[in-house]
Amino acid sequence: MKKTTYDKYPEVTVPGYDQHACRGWDAIIAELRPRMAEKTKTVLVIDCYPGVRLGELEQALQAEFTTARWINAETARRDEQALHALLARNLTDDRVFGVLSCHQLPEFFEPTALADLQKQVETAPEALVIVCGPGATLVHPGDVLVYADLPRWEIQMRMRSGELGNWGAGNYNEDILRRYKRAFFIEWRVFDRHKTPLLKRADYLLDTTVANAPAMVSGEALRAGLELLTRRPFRVVPFFDPGVWGGQWMKQQFDLDPMKPNYAWCFDCVPEENSLLMRFGDVRIEIPSLDLVLLHPRALLGEKVHARFGAEFPIRFDFLDTIGGQNLSFQVHPLTEYIQQQFGMHYTQDESYYILDSEPGAVVYLGVRSGTEPQAMFNDLRQAARGEKAFDDASFVNQIPARKHDHFLIPAGTVHCSGAGTMVLEISATPYIFTFKLWDWGRLGLDGLPRPVHLDHGEQVIDWQRDTEWVHEHLVNRIDVLAEGDGWREERTGLHEREFIETRRHWFTGPVTHHTDGGVNVLNLVEGAEARVESPNDAFEPFVVHYAETFIIPASVGEYRITPWGKGVGQQLATVKAWVRG
């Protein structure tokens, strides 16, 4: 298979701030030192996202600022038992699912201990006081404020390695699904609420993604870079992950590590999980892409989308690779009322499978076969879950041939999975982990543990009317030609009326004009080698995309044009575009 020029490390250059960033502890200390001499007494506050390596940070700064009073904010945090009692309702006993937290960070601290730290800062005779750790600004707002950040994907890698437990729990050896659950439902929600106002006023952002290789940028430059991203196309940094069912297509197509057994997922546009790379001169800063959503939701998402979803990016593009692999787990997503009532999430995971590529004989499992009796199917699933037999999928589930450029719509409540031999571009809403596995073909996870199934949840949400006839009529290749011009054709490919995402496919050999119409657009180049995104009035620099790359057009961009470019000239190209329906 021929490799593409798929860019695994897309970055944006922020002009005018070349001297505002530095890398390495020596350069960071050299930048901070003059700020320490601006007042008779200076309080340097370094607030941190949970997962930041505090030991590395403390070692570097304490070795330099030897006369400073050092205060660790975490010494005022409630103990593990008190935190568990506080969070028990949100944690639940389930291995995968909790309830979204509405906690505020001060609840995690013991008020008397916090007041004592505040008094220590106030009365300290030293000329420099350094307050460090998650929640440090609860101790003091900071004469100089540094916020230390890192992407969620890096946090997950540290969890998997055993380096990191949950904040305040020390559960380094606990099941990774339970550690992720606690972070997803509680910690990340709480700390996102905490850090948003801090990013708006921080003097510096400290990038702690790579161990012993920190980088720092001024708050002014960071905010200028984020504002720039609201006015131009951009990509987030994709990440790839093996899985028990993973395939070989992405490994070959994207030139990934050949030593990995497979790659199951690529999260190519999941801003809550992905990162952004911004270049300031010769320094590259990596931050969570969620920081852009938190600070500029209106310009990025558009007024109507922001009003509906708040500071959440509601559209997800990701890849599911089973070419040379196995079937995905057979699953269903919860109905809206169920996800609201059970988990506190206000919208559900409607989705679709766009087939980027497939092997002969590949299928998608979609909807129940006509005449299926719900109790008979669940009796069979429960026997399979107990290990008594394999699930008789052929008797209960439709298997529909899957060919390149087919589009299968999957509103919540529809049983589904892609079969072996498919390369899926999954276009979906973004509640992330609310998948109820019904059958996993008898497999163990990569951790050697049985993959969890959720039959009790699944039984509550399956829409049994989505049978063979209904699925073929409403969910398979609903293609309507909407418009044609010189060298282009626009097609509507879905999604179902129950889903809030609209999609369009454009085939083109010449320029195609698009408009955000006041809402964020997400696109993928699903056919052709290369294209260029241009502004008709030069509002942003031309942006080149390659085959299978997902890119984001902020709502504030307005009109833009996509045209064949480079190796794409002379080819027939195609994009799939998604946005939130008005």
Side-chain angles (χ1 to χ4, degrees):
M1 186 179 295
K2 186 178 180 180
K3 296 175 183 176
T4 70
T5 52
Y6 182 94
D7 186 358
K8 297 187 287 291
Y9 303 100
E11 64 178 46
V12 60
T13 297
V14 183
Y17 292 91
D18 290 8
Q19 305 305 313
H20 281 244
C22 56
R23 59 173 170 240
W25 287 119
D26 290 344
I28 290 169
I29 291 167
E31 170 63 28
L32 292 175
R33 183 174 290 283
R35 300 294 303 270
M36 306 300 101
E38 292 177 355
K39 299 171 63 176
T40 304
K41 178 178 177 179
T42 301
V43 181
L44 169 63
V45 171
I46 307 173
D47 208 324
C48 306
Y49 208 75
V52 168
R53 294 185 174 102
L54 290 177
E56 176 190 333
L57 194 157
E58 291 174 355
Q59 182 178 8
L61 295 185
Q62 287 179 342
E64 184 63 29
F65 299 112
T66 55
T67 61
R69 168 72 67 92
W70 191 276
I71 295 175
N72 184 346
E74 289 191 305
T75 60
R77 185 183 60 209
R78 296 183 185 274
D79 64 30
E80 183 171 351
Q81 184 176 357
L83 285 180
H84 188 81
L86 175 69
L87 304 175
R89 171 68 184 95
N90 297 88
L91 284 174
T92 74
D93 293 326
D94 192 280
R95 187 181 172 199
V96 176
F97 300 116
V99 178
L100 288 175
S101 166
C102 292
H103 293 94
Q104 300 292 327
L105 188 57
E107 298 176 65
F108 290 67
F109 287 80
E110 206 286 314
T112 302
L114 192 60
D116 181 66
L117 294 186
Q118 293 166 349
K119 186 174 182 179
Q120 288 184 41
V121 174
E122 181 182 352
T123 60
E126 290 86 355
L128 175 61
V129 179
I130 300 176
V131 186
C132 185
T137 49
L138 300 179
V139 179
H140 192 279
D143 299 320
V144 178
L145 173 60
V146 178
Y147 192 82
D149 213 349
L150 77 169
R152 291 184 184 176
W153 184 240
E154 173 61 21
I155 294 173
Q156 292 175 59
M157 293 299 96
R158 295 179 189 185
M159 285 182 170
R160 290 185 191 181
S161 71
E163 173 188 349
L164 188 63
N166 290 109
W167 188 63
N171 52 345
Y172 301 94
N173 297 317
E174 189 178 28
D175 174 5
I176 183 61
L177 292 180
R178 293 186 181 275
R179 279 182 285 156
Y180 178 86
K181 177 188 73 171
R182 182 164 175 157
F184 176 89
F185 284 94
I186 300 172
E187 291 165 15
W188 295 339
R189 310 293 160 180
V190 171
F191 276 94
D192 288 343
R193 286 191 281 271
H194 176 68
K195 79 172 177 178
T196 300
L198 302 184
L199 292 174
K200 295 177 181 179
R201 68 175 183 89
D203 297 289
Y204 298 97
L205 183 287
L206 180 62
D207 167 13
T208 66
T209 306
V210 181
N212 299 307
M216 191 171 75
V217 63
S218 73
E220 177 188 358
L222 170 74
R223 290 183 284 271
L226 292 175
E227 197 276 331
L228 172 66
L229 283 167
T230 67
R231 296 184 278 110
R232 52 156 291 167
F234 67 93
R235 294 184 61 225
V236 296
V237 181
F239 61 84
F240 303 86
D241 210 21
V244 293
W245 43 262
Q248 304 298 315
W249 191 93
M250 289 192 295
K251 183 191 294 188
Q252 300 173 40
Q253 189 74 33
F254 300 154
D255 193 22
L256 303 177
D257 183 356
M259 301 305 293
K260 296 288 186 181
N262 64 59
Y263 287 92
W265 291 278
C266 168
F267 291 146
D268 202 29
C269 176
V270 188
E272 273 210 24
E273 303 271 4
N274 293 107
S275 58
L276 283 170
L277 295 176
M278 294 191 290
R279 179 166 294 280
F280 302 88
D282 63 353
V283 178
R284 190 169 76 178
I285 299 289
E286 183 169 5
I287 64 169
S289 53
L290 183 60
D291 290 354
L292 175 63
V293 185
L294 295 174
L295 264 63
H296 294 284
R298 290 191 174 193
L300 175 64
L301 303 176
E303 289 291 334
K304 291 181 180 179
V305 179
H306 176 246
R308 183 172 179 180
F309 294 97
E312 292 188 15
F313 198 94
I315 302 172
R316 179 177 79 179
F317 276 36
D318 61 274
F319 297 134
L320 308 171
D321 182 0
T322 68
I323 290 182
Q326 305 173 31
N327 296 343
L328 267 68
S329 57
F330 180 54
Q331 59 192 242
V332 66
H333 300 299
L335 301 172
T336 302
E337 62 268 28
Y338 196 83
I339 202 170
Q340 290 172 341
Q341 294 164 6
Q342 297 293 320
F343 310 112
M345 189 76 194
H346 59 282
Y347 63 103
T348 192
Q349 188 167 321
D350 295 309
E351 64 185 26
S352 68
Y353 287 168
Y354 189 92
I355 308 300
L356 271 181
D357 206 349
S358 68
E359 295 180 312
V363 300
V364 163
Y365 295 77
L366 187 62
V368 296
R369 290 176 62 91
S370 296
T372 292
E373 289 291 335
Q375 192 59 53
M377 179 169 139
F378 266 86
N379 287 341
D380 207 80
L381 284 167
R382 287 194 165 89
Q383 284 183 282
R386 293 192 296 265
E388 297 171 7
K389 62 185 290 297
F391 173 56
D392 186 9
D393 57 278
S395 296
F396 297 108
V397 187
N398 301 307
Q399 297 184 29
I400 304 172
R403 304 176 182 87
K404 187 172 183 176
H405 294 303
D406 283 347
H407 200 179
F408 300 91
L409 316 181
I410 312 171
T414 310
V415 296
H416 66 280
C417 71
S418 66
T422 59
M423 180 61 200
V424 171
L425 168 63
E426 185 179 55
I427 302 169
S428 76
T430 319
Y432 304 99
I433 66 169
F434 295 97
T435 297
F436 301 147
K437 293 186 181 71
L438 305 174
W439 166 240
D440 201 41
W441 317 98
R443 298 178 294 218
L444 298 178
L446 294 181
D447 57 5
L449 298 174
R451 303 243 293 166
V453 294
H454 289 88
L455 297 182
D456 291 339
H457 284 308
E459 192 171 19
Q460 300 298 314
V461 302
I462 292 175
D463 189 331
W464 297 98
Q465 298 180 64
R466 295 180 188 164
D467 59 10
T468 307
E469 291 75 24
W470 194 94
V471 163
H472 280 278
E473 182 179 354
H474 295 280
L475 303 185
V476 179
N477 287 328
R478 301 289 296 168
I479 308 300
D480 299 308
V481 177
L482 299 182
E484 294 185 79
D486 185 15
W488 61 270
R489 180 174 76 253
E490 179 182 5
E491 299 171 338
R492 183 182 186 275
T493 67
L495 276 51
H496 187 261
E497 62 183 10
R498 288 187 60 91
E499 306 180 72
F500 65 75
I501 295 174
E502 183 64 52
T503 56
R504 294 282 193 274
R505 179 169 59 199
H506 287 81
W507 297 97
F508 60 103
T509 56
V512 184
T513 298
H514 298 253
H515 203 289
T516 63
D517 292 319
V520 65
N521 290 185
V522 181
L523 301 94
N524 187 283
L525 185 64
V526 297
E527 185 69 37
E530 200 169 14
R532 189 167 81 159
V533 187
E534 306 165 336
S535 168
N537 58 1
D538 298 321
F540 57 81
E541 292 184 2
F543 182 79
V544 175
V545 295
H546 307 96
Y547 175 60
E549 290 181 352
T550 299
F551 55 104
I552 297 168
I553 309 291
S556 62
V557 165
E559 187 175 345
Y560 60 99
R561 184 170 56 235
I562 303 179
T563 187
W565 185 254
K567 295 179 181 179
V569 174
Q571 297 181 338
Q572 184 178 57
L573 285 73
T575 56
V576 168
K577 175 173 68 173
W579 71 92
V580 176
R581 292 188 182 121

